[in-house]
Amino acid sequence: MGQASVGKKEIAYEALDNGFLSCAEPEKLQQICDSLGPEDIDRLFRKWLKRLPLPLQPEDRAAGYDWSLSIWQLEVSLTQIFDRPLRGREFFEEIIRDNLDLGRPDRVQLIFDRVVTKKTPGEFRTRVIQDGVHPSLHINYKNFDLKQYFKEGRGCRTEGTFRNPNDFGVNKGLPNLPYLQKIGREINRRLLEVERVSHNSGLSGDSIQRVVQPAVTEDGKKGAGLKFGQPRVMALLLALTLFPTPHRWFPQPRSPATRSGSAGRYAGRLHSPPDDV
């Protein structure tokens, strides 16, 4: 636990590595974080320019020659803390399994809101990187790396890294920092939204049982179950799907015009068994 001094007010918070686990006034904390802008960074930079030995003299700056800051790398992150940390790792690993196709061009468009064509540079793929026992999900768009991992056993960290702002039509000038932050936050939220929609989209075993098995409503009325919902029928159907079923293909009748020549060969190909059943 710690306290951050804001003017004459102390705000209690709990740290999570380089982030926050909890805060007594989260709205005020967000305001403090958002208050850091290009002007503050440039002011600190100018302060050190006066102290460091540099080839440019005051008269050079007065003539228009000066230093300027550029954004070469920027990270925008969002951390969501689990109420039940013991289930957090299990939930996060399920997210990875359900979203291994997010790096495909058609899926990348949903996250980055940009059209991807054959001429779009870069490799579009999903990578799962294992660092010890901690897996992380990586999705790439050009030079942008979108990463998601389970942070400190407490939260799901979604982190986007700009390595070239020009990928989004933005130059590297420091005044563009707020706009890049907005783009990064939208990308993080779109990833979470795509994962939310795709998560657990199928019915669970218990849900299927409630649909197909006979049931009794709260007012005592009985609801009939489906015939194929009987346990023995369901077990037999499951057993049949686990074993390959041999197929026997019978020759198809052909007209005399198709028994010879190219027409006959075409008919033979037409009635050949498929590659996979």
Side-chain angles (χ1 to χ4, degrees):
M1 296 292 291
Q3 288 185 333
S5 177
V6 183
K8 296 182 180 180
K9 188 174 181 180
E10 302 287 340
I11 301 178
Y13 70 93
E14 187 176 359
L16 181 67
D17 192 19
N18 60 345
F20 296 93
L21 179 62
S22 63
C23 181
E25 299 183 29
E27 294 82 7
K28 186 63 177 179
L29 173 63
Q30 189 62 55
Q31 293 178 7
I32 296 171
C33 296
D34 292 339
S35 65
L36 178 65
E39 299 81 7
D40 303 288
I41 299 175
D42 189 72
R43 190 182 306 115
L44 177 63
F45 175 64
R46 300 299 166 184
K47 171 185 175 181
W48 284 102
L49 281 181
K50 297 178 181 179
R51 300 185 180 186
L52 297 175
L54 297 172
L56 292 178
Q57 300 300 320
E59 54 270 19
D60 297 324
R61 297 196 182 105
Y65 300 95
D66 205 349
W67 306 91
S68 61
L69 292 176
S70 300
I71 303 172
W72 286 86
Q73 181 167 311
L74 173 67
E75 295 182 2
V76 182
S77 63
L78 174 64
T79 305
Q80 296 172 303
I81 305 301
F82 291 99
D83 294 332
R84 301 176 63 189
L86 293 178
R87 295 293 184 184
R89 173 65 181 266
E90 177 183 351
F91 173 76
F92 178 71
E93 291 184 351
E94 187 172 348
I95 286 180
I96 292 180
R97 288 193 298 268
D98 292 343
N99 295 278
L100 292 177
D101 61 342
L102 286 180
R104 296 177 180 175
D106 56 332
R107 301 276 283 170
V108 163
Q109 296 180 125
L110 300 176
I111 301 173
F112 294 93
D113 194 26
R114 300 183 72 85
V115 177
V116 177
T117 65
K118 295 181 179 180
K119 296 182 180 180
T120 304
E123 294 182 354
F124 301 97
R125 58 182 179 176
T126 306
R127 294 179 298 157
V128 178
I129 298 178
Q130 190 85 10
D131 183 10
V133 296
H134 303 289
S136 59
L137 181 68
H138 292 254
I139 304 166
N140 296 99
Y141 171 79
K142 296 184 178 179
N143 297 290
F144 188 94
D145 180 35
L146 183 57
K147 179 172 64 174
Q148 202 171 45
Y149 59 97
F150 192 50
K151 187 173 183 66
E152 299 292 318
R154 297 300 303 269
C156 179
R157 180 72 169 261
T158 306
E159 183 178 284
T161 303
F162 293 90
R163 292 192 174 91
N164 187 356
N166 292 323
D167 292 340
F168 297 87
V170 183
N171 63 46
K172 299 178 180 179
L174 183 62
N176 291 321
L177 176 63
Y179 184 61
L180 284 176
Q181 288 177 325
K182 179 181 178 182
I183 294 177
R185 289 170 180 171
E186 290 177 351
I187 291 173
N188 290 341
R189 291 192 177 98
R190 277 195 294 266
L191 171 62
L192 294 170
E193 180 64 21
V194 170
E195 292 175 340
R196 185 189 67 82
V197 172
S198 63
H199 176 64
N200 200 19
S201 58
L203 291 175
S204 63
D206 293 339
S207 300
I208 295 176
Q209 289 293 332
R210 288 196 298 269
V211 172
V212 302
Q213 294 290 348
V216 179
T217 62
E218 295 180 355
D219 55 358
K221 295 182 180 180
K222 295 183 178 180
L226 302 177
K227 291 184 178 181
F228 66 83
Q230 298 178 3
R232 292 183 178 180
V233 177
M234 296 291 289
L236 176 60
L237 179 61
L238 177 61
L240 291 176
T241 59
L242 295 177
F243 297 94
T245 305
H247 296 79
R248 180 172 296 175
W249 297 91
F250 298 93
Q252 301 294 326
R254 306 175 188 173
S255 63
T258 62
R259 290 180 182 175
S260 61
S262 59
R265 290 193 296 272
Y266 175 77
R269 290 196 301 270
L270 181 64
H271 297 292
S272 61
D275 296 331
D276 193 10
V277 177

